[in-house]
Amino acid sequence: MAFGVKRNELKKWKQKVEAGDIAFLTHYWLDDRFPESKTVTKVGCSDKDKLAKWGKQYDLKPRWIHNDPRYPHFDLLGMKQLDILKAENLYEHINRFNLE
């Protein structure tokens, strides 16, 4: 279950993904499979090759891409999430969701 994201933020993320840009969306998230993770960052791009190339720099495997037909994306959790957000200078995500 996702929450803590505004409708406008989701709309902008979807537009960027559809345009072939690398887009980031962080939100609160509850999933029994990952009880230690309270947030997730979705990194999406409709160009799966571009997304895979982006992920390679962070040791993300192409097979980890969630192959949503309209919004392919990686789901970032835990320390990998924090490390990538820092590397991408997305401190507003880190601060807003108290990831440090």
Side-chain angles (χ1 to χ4, degrees), residues 48-66:
K48 290 181 193 175
D49 291 332
K50 183 176 181 178
L51 184 59
K53 183 178 179 181
W54 174 87
K56 187 175 181 181
Q57 70 183 312
Y58 298 113
D59 297 320
L60 301 176
K61 309 290 186 231
R63 70 177 185 268
W64 296 345
I65 294 173
H66 180 97

Side-chain angles (χ1 to χ4, degrees), residues 5 11 13 17 29 32 38 62 70 81-82 89 99:
V5 64
K11 182 179 176 181
W13 181 82
V17 171
W29 181 62
D32 291 339
K38 304 298 182 213
R70 291 186 62 194
Q81 175 189 25
L82 180 58
N89 292 312
L99 300 179

